[in-house]
Amino acid sequence: MEDCIFCKIIKGDIPSELVYSDEFVVAIRDIHPVAPVHVLILPRKHFANLSELAETDSGELGSILAAVARAAKKIAELEGIADKGYRLINNCGQDAGQTVMHLHFHLIGGKTLGEKLI
Ligand code: 5GP
Ligand code: ZN
């Protein structure tokens, strides 16, 4: 996706602070952190959001979601918050407040997260 900011970050065309990467995902620090730890986990392959990912075959879907879960665990360890815990958030679509149309998961932690909606 030529005009996708996260695709450009994944390609290295736009700078970012890399936290973790593997075959399936790249994880970078959010430019506007809402917590001491705020990392974005970006699947390398472009999907607009979780609903678009859901349309792919189960093999690819499973591989990407497994990679996200494993990356989240690894990032929590790297950031020193594995014991205290973290929240993994996906905003899908307009009402959820999604602003970048490249599937991503916010990993936030490093403090007691008080703003629980559910
Ligand atoms: P959304 O609102 O779509 O769930 O989350 C998009 C996130 O991407 C926001 O938290 C925003 O701060 C972050 N973001 C937007 N542009 C950039 C960028 O160029 N670099 C980084 N590191 N984060 C970005
Ligand atoms: Zn993209």
Side-chain angles (χ1 to χ4, degrees):
M1 293 292 285
E2 276 172 20
D3 58 352
C4 171
I5 191 166
F6 285 174
C7 281
K8 287 180 182 164
I9 285 175
I10 290 162
K11 276 202 290 178
D13 292 347
I14 292 178
S16 65
E17 190 183 339
L18 185 70
V19 176
Y20 171 84
S21 76
D22 63 28
E23 180 187 351
F24 289 103
V25 301
V26 170
I28 60 169
R29 234 170 269 291
D30 196 291
I31 205 165
H32 294 126
V34 300
V37 175
H38 187 169
V39 174
L40 299 172
I41 303 175
L42 320 174
R44 286 184 181 274
K45 184 164 177 182
H46 181 96
F47 294 93
N49 56 30
L50 195 64
S51 289
E52 193 173 294
L53 176 69
E55 290 169 7
T56 196
D57 67 87
S58 295
E60 182 167 57
L61 178 70
S63 296
I64 291 173
L65 290 181
V68 169
R70 292 188 180 121
K73 180 174 186 285
K74 182 74 184 168
I75 292 160
E77 289 164 0
L78 291 170
E79 296 290 314
I81 61 169
D83 290 346
K84 290 275 201 172
Y86 56 90
R87 194 174 288 166
L88 194 64
I89 297 167
N90 172 254
N91 295 320
C92 181
Q94 188 179 324
D95 276 2
Q98 184 180 2
T99 57
V100 179
M101 293 299 149
H102 178 121
L103 175 64
H104 57 279
F105 296 83
H106 299 255
L107 187 156
I108 58 173
K111 69 170 188 178
T112 301
L113 300 165
E115 312 87 4
K116 267 192 93 179
L117 290 177
I118 53 165

